[in-house]
């Protein structure tokens, strides 16, 4: 069994561009080059994560574009290169994400009335329902249930007699 990651490709891309809990050195250097203080770098990271979680950003390209918009908004110095081009996209691809199941037609399954439970594997016996039992088997079943009820009642009566005898 492999490890399953519930992160979307967008969340993986944000983590790759900015870092997870701590900011990557590459992102710190880019912010320093642009004249962005470190607290604003954290704000950019939080803003991207928030927008991805709220599903305002769809797709890895949109994450890259939004990242560049935020960097350009906050920057004090002009920079000619695009930061997102330095970070490879291969690692942010959704390797660990399980693909969605294709939609299946409900017509392929038989109705619930026709589904029969198979016999038990260890002895190969099938059990009849109450409607299929012969009359003698049904009476035996009822007698067994009545015996169980009578035995339970005897135990209860004995306990009540013991409690009643202690009170006297």
């Amino acid at each position: 069994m492999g490890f399953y990651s519930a992160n979307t490709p967008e969340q993986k891309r944000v983590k790759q561009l900015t870092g997870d809990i701590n900011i990557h050195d590459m992102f710190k250097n880019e912010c320093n080059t642009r004249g962005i203080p470190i607290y604003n770098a954290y704000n950019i990271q939080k803003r991207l994560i928030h927008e991805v979680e709220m599903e305002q950003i769809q797709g890895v390209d949109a994450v890259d574009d939004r990242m560049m918009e935020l960097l350009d908004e906050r920057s004090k110095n002009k920079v000619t290169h695009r930061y997102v081009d330095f970070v490879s996209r291969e690692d942010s691809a959704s390797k660990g994400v399980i693909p969605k199941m294709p939609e299946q037609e409900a017509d392929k399954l038989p109705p619930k009335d026709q589904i029969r439970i198979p016999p038990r594997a260890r002895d190969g016996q099938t059990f009849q329902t109450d409607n299929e039992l012969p009359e003698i088997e049904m009476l035996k079943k009822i007698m067994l249930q009545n015996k169980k009820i009578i035995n339970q009642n005897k135990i209860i009566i004995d306990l009540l007699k013991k409690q009643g005898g202690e009170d006297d």
Side-chain angles (χ1 to χ4, degrees):
M1 302 248 345
F3 177 72
Y4 173 71
S5 173
N7 291 341
T8 62
E10 291 90 2
Q11 289 172 327
K12 290 180 182 180
R13 184 66 177 164
V14 170
K15 286 181 182 176
Q16 186 157 15
L17 288 172
T18 61
D20 196 1
I21 295 171
N22 299 321
I23 290 183
H24 287 309
D25 292 333
M26 193 170 166
F27 186 59
K28 282 183 187 176
N29 293 339
E30 180 67 23
C31 290
N32 286 338
T33 306
R34 292 175 179 265
I36 300 173
I38 192 70
Y39 64 87
N40 272 343
Y42 279 106
N43 290 343
I44 290 172
Q45 179 188 33
K46 287 180 188 175
R47 184 73 198 160
L48 275 173
I49 291 172
H50 175 72
E51 288 179 5
V52 166
E53 286 175 353
M54 299 305 291
E55 296 179 357
Q56 295 173 351
I57 301 176
Q58 299 290 329
V60 178
D61 293 332
V63 172
D64 290 353
D65 294 339
R66 183 65 179 144
M67 168 71 127
M68 290 310 297
E69 285 176 22
L70 291 172
L71 284 174
D72 290 338
E73 283 176 15
R74 306 267 169 97
S75 66
K76 297 174 183 168
N77 306 333
K78 282 287 180 191
V79 178
T80 57
H81 63 272
R82 276 178 54 93
Y83 167 70
V84 293
D85 295 337
F86 293 128
V87 183
S88 70
R89 291 187 182 199
E90 295 150 8
D91 296 336
S92 65
S94 57
K95 294 179 199 169
V97 177
I98 297 174
K100 293 181 181 177
M101 284 187 58
E103 295 181 15
Q104 296 178 351
E105 296 176 19
D107 301 333
K108 294 181 182 178
L109 296 175
K112 289 188 178 182
D113 322 353
Q114 296 177 3
I115 297 176
R116 298 284 297 170
I117 297 173
R120 296 190 304 188
R122 65 175 180 266
D123 55 10
Q125 291 181 357
T126 57
F127 297 100
Q128 298 174 336
T129 61
D130 289 343
N131 298 337
E132 298 171 344
L133 285 176
E135 193 171 326
I136 295 172
E137 292 293 323
M138 185 63 95
L139 290 173
K140 285 182 182 177
K141 189 174 178 182
I142 292 172
M143 288 295 290
L144 182 64
Q145 288 175 348
N146 287 342
K147 282 183 183 178
K148 289 180 182 177
I149 292 172
I150 290 170
N151 287 337
Q152 288 174 350
N153 288 342
K154 285 182 183 177
I155 294 171
I156 292 172
I157 290 172
D158 289 341
L159 290 173
L160 288 174
K161 283 182 182 176
K162 287 180 185 177
Q163 287 183 352
E166 293 172 1
D167 290 342
D168 292 339

